[in-house]
Every structure is written in C-alpha cells, then in structure tokens.
Amino acid sequence: MRFMMLMIPRGYEAAAPDEAPSAEAVASMMAYNESLQRAGVLLALDGLHPPSTGARVSFSGGKPKVTDGPFAEAKEVLGGYWMIDVASREEAIAWASRCPAGDNEVIEVRRVQELADFPPDVQEVAAKYPEMQGLARSG
C-alpha cells in the first residue's frame, strides 16, 4: 500500500521566500530519508518552498482565480512529503513516528487511492486511460 506522509511545519505559512532549515536539521532528515531508502519503502520525497513563493488557483463559479502567496487564511501548509510503500497503515505511522521532526512539525499520514479502491463504474472510466495508470510510479 502506498502512503503519503505530509510534513506540516507550524509557522511555515508565514515563512519568508528565502527561509531554509539549518544544516543540522537537514543532516538529521537526510539520515532518516536514508533509513527509508535502505528499508526499500521510499518511492519519492520532496521539500516545498514556502507558500510566499506559491500561488493558489480557485474555481469559484467555474472560473479560475489566481491568488499569489503568502495566503492570509492559511492555518496549516505543507512543507514537504514522502511517498512510501508499506504493508499497512500501522507501518506507515511507525515510519512517520521515527522522523526527526521538531516541536513545531506534524506529519499527516494518508493512504494513496488505488484504482481498485473505486467502484466498478469508476474503474471502467479510468481504464480508458491506461497511460495514466501507475504514472506516479514510473518516474
């Protein structure tokens, strides 16, 4: 089963565009990332620049509206993610629990939807797009 572990650093919603973690924090995180890789469960990972450098596209009334960051209404934002492939939710939580996160960080663990999770009619529609099946895993 694939799970996404989402890093939610409190305060990141107001981070300056050039804000970066300390070398010590990066070293600890890289050691953790290596442990995921050595265990054979890591599929992908990335850190994200602060929201002040991003944009949000909303669709009120069916028309796209772009709002540049930072986002005043944001209470929690993503700082990065890991995609892992493990046997169970419990194993995913165990991996998240080993992360060297700081006091201001939370990791949300969410299972990735697989085609088999959907009813037959949805699977039938998706089957018309075989090139999209497993796209995230093909790199």
Side-chain angles (χ1 to χ4, degrees):
M1 287 180 253
R2 291 182 302 150
F3 285 84
M4 186 168 271
M5 300 189 308
L6 306 163
M7 175 61 79
I8 305 169
R10 291 185 192 105
Y12 204 48
E13 63 276 1
D18 60 351
E19 187 165 320
S22 69
E24 181 180 279
V26 171
S28 294
M29 197 60 72
M30 293 309 278
Y32 170 71
N33 294 340
E34 282 184 324
S35 69
L36 289 164
Q37 188 174 41
R38 277 193 310 274
V41 300
L42 183 63
L43 299 175
L45 71 136
D46 281 300
L48 301 172
H49 283 276
S52 57
T53 66
R56 288 184 174 175
V57 181
S58 58
F59 297 89
S60 181
K63 296 186 189 244
K65 177 186 173 198
V66 177
T67 304
D68 289 325
F71 312 109
E73 70 284 356
K75 293 185 177 153
E76 293 182 335
V77 298
L78 296 179
Y81 71 92
W82 298 264
M83 180 75 74
I84 61 173
D85 191 354
V86 294
S88 66
R89 178 178 180 267
E90 292 73 26
E91 186 179 353
I93 291 169
W95 276 110
S97 298
R98 293 181 200 134
C99 181
D103 291 343
N104 69 323
E105 296 170 316
V106 172
I107 296 176
E108 183 175 327
V109 178
R110 305 263 305 271
R111 186 165 173 210
V112 175
Q113 293 178 326
E114 303 289 350
L115 190 55
D117 297 332
F118 292 96
D121 61 332
V122 174
Q123 290 184 38
E124 184 179 323
V125 170
K128 295 176 184 174
Y129 303 91
E131 68 279 5
M132 301 311 251
Q133 308 308 312
L135 184 61
R137 287 186 233 157
S138 65

